[in-house]
């Protein structure tokens, strides 16, 4: 059940396999209560997150996107998250230019042991998206079989 | 006269290379077209005037031969950018640079003369252009019919060359003017901005001319806009697909767009295709002090990183 008493919104989370996915798992194992609006997509590294993944999600019906990877200097592949940081920052600054509130996109670092931090981030981000409400772009939601 | 000097220089240059790319008269008096010089008699076809609008450097990454090339100030940035990205080798090109006082926008001229066929066009000293059509003749001020990039041009003299035709000239345009349009656009509300882009991109016919003309779009034959696996976009002519295509172009040009304006020049629908890239460039300048195609020693910001990013403040919720 959603912790936030409102209709669920669509939030997509791209989580690094080595840190944040583990962090979310830790939160689950520890039975921390979390909102259920987030749909997680596991990626090998935050460096794998093409900024266009986020654009595609937002233009096709997502109301918010969260990207989380290993803390800087802790990347499993040594520097994937350093590249990611520049790309994600670029996108963060581009989004408002096309009329999408930059608060709909958040990127952060969470390690596998930080179950509590994961709970905090996902709860706060979900709250933020609920405050902003659904994203109204003139898009159709494509359902592909 | 600079045309004579240009011909002389090209005549010298084409002995050292396989081909020299310059401009010649096109299918009507209003259009110039690229010309490829491989024989001495072709040198006389060369022209040099404000009709020489194309950025000829787009050919460079695809040519396997040694090439001579005629460039304006703004075009020269493409060469520097190519070299930063390792797409061309300096030894394989001979650059003939032309200091430039501005070109014309064919679209703006056609608009002024009600799209009538042009019979002749003459450029007068003092920045005027006289266009003759069957309906009569019209005198236009060059500064009124130049593309936007010329009214804020910072680099009228090529930044890299082997031969320079004429004296270098300095820009008299304030550097702040370059991004004035972007700052102005940012004053609109979020809703207005989204509406603006949805309206603009809805007119897009997905002809991909903007992509094909862009000198920095170098993966044309394997563009992700056309891949089936993964399938980024369908062939449908819906707004999300069109919007997505433009975001692909913008994001792939992040910190690479040399602002040559070719994308906008060729767009049949008059869509401000370059605006998103200019916005990104502005941010790259602010974040990393980087401007595409200006310093050979620079590295495009998306190709590298710093462990401590002084200007990036990771967002707190
Ligand atoms: S931008 Fe500058 S160099 Fe380029 S065509 Fe215009 S005036 Fe010439
Ligand atoms: S995006 Fe437009 S302005 Fe930028 S390099 Fe490509 S064609 Fe030139
Ligand atoms: S050139 Fe214009 S109409 Fe063609 S794809 Fe680009 S923006 Fe769309």
């Amino acid at each position: 059940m959603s912790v936030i008493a409102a209709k669920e919104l669509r939030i997509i989370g791209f989580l690094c396999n080595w840190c944040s996915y583990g962090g979310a798992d830790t939160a689950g194992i520890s039975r921390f209560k979390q909102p259920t609006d987030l749909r997680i997509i596991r990626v090998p590294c935050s460096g794998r997150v093409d900024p266009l993944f986020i654009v595609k999600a937002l233009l096709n019906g997502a109301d918010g996107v969260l990207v989380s990877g290993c803390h800087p200097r802790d990347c499993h592949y040594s520097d994937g998250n350093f590249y990611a940081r520049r790309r994600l920052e670029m996108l963060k600054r581009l989004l408002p230019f096309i009329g999408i509130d930059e608060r709909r996109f958040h990127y952060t670092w969470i390690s596998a042991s930080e179950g509590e931090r994961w709970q905090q981030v996902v709860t706060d981000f979900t709250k933020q998206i609920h405050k902003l409400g659904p994203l109204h772009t003139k898009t159709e939601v494509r359902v592909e079989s | 006269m600079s045309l004579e000097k240009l011909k002389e220089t090209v005549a010298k240059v084409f002995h050292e290379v396989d081909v020299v790319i310059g401009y010649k008269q096109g299918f009507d008096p209003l259009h110039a077209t690229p010309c490829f010089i491989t024989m001495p008699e072709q040198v006389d076809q060369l022209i040099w005037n404000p009709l020489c609008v194309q950025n000829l450097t787009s050919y460079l990454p695809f040519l396997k031969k040694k090439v001579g090339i005629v460039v304006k100030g703004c075009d020269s940035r493409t060469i520097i950018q190519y070299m930063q990205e390792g797409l061309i080798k300096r030894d394989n090109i001979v650059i003939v640079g032309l200091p430039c006082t501005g070109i014309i926008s064919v679209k703006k001229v056609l608009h002024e003369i009600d799209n009538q066929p042009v019979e002749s066009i003459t450029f007068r000293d003092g920045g005027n252009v006289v266009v003759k059509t069957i309906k009569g003749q019209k005198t236009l001020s060059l500064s009124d019919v130049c593309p936007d990039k010329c009214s804020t041009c910072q680099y009228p003299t090529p930044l890299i060359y082997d031969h320079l035709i004429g004296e270098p000239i300095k820009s008299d345009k304030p550097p702040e003017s370059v991004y004035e349009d972007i700052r102005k656009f940012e004053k609109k509300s979020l809703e207005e901005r989204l509406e603006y882009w949805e309206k603009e991109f809805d007119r897009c016919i997905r002809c991909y001319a903007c992509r094909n003309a862009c000198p920095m779009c170098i993966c044309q034959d394997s563009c992700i806009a056309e891949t089936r696996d993964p399938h980024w976009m369908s062939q449908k002519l819906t707004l999300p697909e069109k919007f997505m295509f433009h975001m692909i172009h913008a994001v792939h040009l992040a910190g690479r767009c040399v602002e040559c304006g070719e994308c906008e020049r060729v767009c049949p629908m008059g869509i401000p295709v370059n605006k998103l890239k200019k916005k990104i460039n502005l941010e790259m300048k602010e974040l990393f002090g980087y401007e595409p195609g200006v310093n050979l020693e620079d590295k495009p910001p998306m190709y590298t990183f710093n462990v401590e990013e002084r200007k990036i403040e990771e967002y707190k919720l």
Side-chain angles (χ1 to χ4, degrees):
Chain A
M1 198 191 73
S2 182
V3 167
I4 296 157
K7 196 174 166 289
E8 271 199 9
L9 291 177
R10 264 172 297 203
I11 304 176
I12 311 292
F14 292 99
L15 305 191
C16 158
N17 175 51
W18 302 101
C19 296
S20 303
Y21 192 85
D25 206 24
T26 307
I29 290 167
S30 324
R31 295 182 165 270
F32 294 154
K33 225 173 173 195
Q34 303 173 33
T36 52
D37 307 51
L38 189 86
R39 305 286 181 276
I40 294 175
I41 296 171
R42 174 152 63 156
V43 289
C45 176
S46 53
R48 175 64 183 91
V49 181
D50 189 321
L52 290 165
F53 289 175
I54 299 142
V55 176
K56 175 109 179 153
L58 290 170
L59 289 181
N60 285 278
D63 304 302
V65 180
L66 176 69
V67 175
S68 186
C70 309
H71 288 274
R73 295 179 204 266
D74 264 352
C75 176
H76 183 78
Y77 306 102
S78 90
D79 46 19
N81 53 3
F82 289 135
Y83 287 105
R85 180 167 56 188
R86 285 195 163 193
R87 295 173 195 154
L88 299 173
E89 180 71 19
M90 178 274 294
L91 187 75
K92 183 107 187 154
R93 287 161 183 246
L94 177 61
L95 285 179
F97 201 72
I98 58 165
I100 294 181
D101 197 315
E102 73 265 33
R103 287 171 298 178
R104 291 188 186 276
F105 162 52
H106 183 61
Y107 70 94
T108 188
W109 325 115
I110 295 170
S111 80
S113 60
E114 294 176 317
E116 242 171 297
R117 181 168 148 72
W118 166 258
Q119 181 200 30
Q120 194 63 43
V121 165
V122 73
T123 309
D124 290 351
F125 186 63
T126 309
K127 272 192 192 142
Q128 182 163 299
I129 298 302
H130 275 264
K131 218 157 72 208
L132 293 166
L135 171 61
H136 294 293
T137 56
K138 278 193 200 143
T139 54
E140 47 166 342
V141 176
R142 285 192 287 134
V143 183
E144 280 170 6
S145 49
Chain B
M1 191 208 151
S2 64
L3 181 60
E4 285 316 310
K5 178 123 186 275
L6 174 66
K7 287 183 185 172
E8 234 172 74
T9 311
V10 170
K12 257 191 267 155
V13 162
F14 91 90
H15 290 296
E16 329 164 10
V17 298
D18 298 299
V19 58
V20 179
I21 313 175
Y23 303 92
K24 67 176 180 187
Q25 193 56 54
F27 68 95
D28 80 348
L30 188 56
H31 292 82
T33 194
C35 93
F36 297 80
I37 290 171
T38 52
M39 287 179 288
E41 53 277 22
Q42 289 171 325
V43 170
D44 278 327
Q45 299 179 344
L46 283 174
I47 59 163
W48 171 242
N49 60 35
L51 298 172
C52 301
V53 293
Q54 296 93 343
N55 180 356
L56 301 174
T57 61
S58 308
Y59 294 108
L60 293 177
F62 307 101
L63 290 174
K64 301 277 175 289
K65 300 175 167 177
K66 192 163 177 186
V67 211
I69 186 127
V70 172
V71 299
K72 306 185 283 290
C74 52
D75 304 340
S76 73
R77 287 177 68 184
T78 321
I79 295 183
I80 294 179
Q81 191 65 21
Y82 281 152
M83 284 165 63
Q84 284 183 20
E85 297 185 18
L87 294 167
I88 57 172
K89 287 205 178 74
R90 183 69 179 91
D91 294 345
N92 289 341
I93 49 168
V94 177
I95 308 164
V96 180
L98 289 158
C100 168
T101 49
I103 55 172
I104 61 152
S105 153
V106 170
K107 277 183 202 158
K108 286 187 187 169
V109 171
L110 282 174
H111 180 76
E112 292 290 336
I113 57 169
D114 298 329
N115 294 302
Q116 292 299 309
V118 174
E119 287 181 345
S120 79
I121 180 161
T122 28
F123 298 97
R124 297 258 166 86
D125 288 342
N128 282 336
V129 47
V130 183
V131 191
K132 226 190 203 159
T133 66
I134 37 166
K135 276 196 168 172
Q137 92 176 24
K138 199 159 181 185
T139 306
L140 305 166
S141 156
L142 263 176
S143 55
D144 289 339
V145 290
C146 70
D148 298 344
K149 66 170 177 177
C150 298
S151 48
T152 61
C153 175
Q154 297 299 303
Y155 307 103
T157 304
L159 295 166
I160 185 172
Y161 55 81
D162 297 298
H163 307 274
L164 191 68
I165 312 296
E167 291 304 309
I169 43 181
K170 273 215 170 76
S171 167
D172 53 358
K173 318 282 189 310
E176 316 83 70
S177 65
V178 180
Y179 294 106
E180 239 164 43
D181 52 340
I182 304 299
R183 305 257 190 234
K184 202 169 143 217
F185 183 76
E186 288 184 316
K187 298 224 164 77
K188 290 178 192 275
S189 74
L190 278 174
E191 292 72 26
E192 283 171 326
R193 287 178 233 170
L194 182 62
E195 207 178 301
Y196 172 89
W197 288 113
E198 287 181 335
K199 211 170 138 211
E200 289 293 335
F201 290 151
D202 210 16
R203 297 206 316 277
C204 173
I205 54 172
R206 282 182 76 181
C207 66
Y208 291 177
C210 49
R211 178 198 69 180
N212 295 1
C214 173
M216 297 317 295
C217 267
I218 33 119
C219 30
Q220 290 179 3
D221 287 338
S222 43
C223 177
I224 70 161
E226 282 156 305
T227 57
R228 292 292 170 271
D229 187 21
H231 204 173
W232 275 90
M233 283 166 37
S234 78
Q235 293 298 305
K236 281 196 246 166
L237 207 64
T238 58
L239 179 58
E241 305 293 78
K242 295 189 266 192
F243 209 134
M244 189 66 205
F245 166 65
H246 287 287
M247 292 305 286
I248 291 174
H249 194 180
V251 168
H252 284 182
L253 270 285
R256 305 174 60 236
C257 168
V258 290
E259 296 174 18
C260 63
E262 287 292 88
C263 46
E264 285 191 18
R265 179 178 69 81
V266 299
C267 175
M269 304 305 288
I271 297 170
V273 196
N274 193 19
K275 224 176 185 162
L276 294 177
K277 293 133 205 161
K278 271 184 91 176
K279 161 68 182 168
I280 302 178
N281 274 0
L282 182 62
E283 295 297 338
M284 293 298 115
K285 208 171 192 174
E286 143 80 21
L287 281 172
F288 310 116
Y290 176 86
E291 192 176 354
V294 176
N295 291 314
L296 259 179
E297 292 73 33
D298 286 354
K299 211 164 179 193
M302 293 298 150
Y303 283 42
T304 181
F305 63 84
N306 291 322
V307 174
E308 307 285 341
E309 297 283 8
R310 286 199 348 268
K311 292 261 181 97
I312 299 184
E313 196 190 310
E314 269 97 343
Y315 293 81
K316 307 262 170 338
L317 270 174

